[in-house]
Each structure stands twice: as structure tokens, then as C-alpha cells.
């Protein structure tokens, strides 16, 4: 017998937005780190 689990796509939007915000913050930090490394070399 198969079980069916109902997933509401609107309930998962909060988690997706949190992941997106974390990804954007990490990208900004990565770019700042890379620019600081380039400033040290020159």
C-alpha cells in the first residue's frame, strides 16, 4: 500500500527564501575576500 504525502508548495517558500538570502550573503563575503586578496598582491 502506497502512502501519499501532501506537500504544500507555499509552506516551503520560507525555507527557500532563507536559503537564497544565505547564498547571497556568502557570495558577497566571497567577493570581498577575493578583492582583499587582490589588494594585498599589488
Amino acid at each position: 500500500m502506497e502512502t501519499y504525502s501532501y506537500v504544500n508548495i507555499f509552506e516551503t517558500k520560507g525555507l527557500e527564501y532563507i536559503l537564497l538570502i544565505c547564498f547571497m550573503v556568502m557570495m558577497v563575503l566571497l567577493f570581498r575576500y577575493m578583492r582583499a586578496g587582490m589588494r594585498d598582491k599589488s
Side-chain angles (χ1 to χ4, degrees), residues 3-42:
T3 59
Y4 177 76
S5 62
Y6 174 73
V7 177
N8 187 356
I9 61 168
F10 298 107
E11 291 176 356
T12 60
K13 284 289 185 187
L15 180 61
E16 291 174 4
Y17 285 133
I18 290 171
L19 290 173
L20 181 68
I21 290 169
C22 291
F23 179 76
M24 293 295 184
V25 168
M26 294 302 287
M27 288 297 291
V28 169
L29 293 176
L30 175 67
F31 287 139
R32 284 188 181 177
Y33 175 74
M34 289 172 59
R35 293 186 82 197
M38 290 186 349
R39 273 190 237 131
D40 291 342
K41 289 183 180 178
S42 44

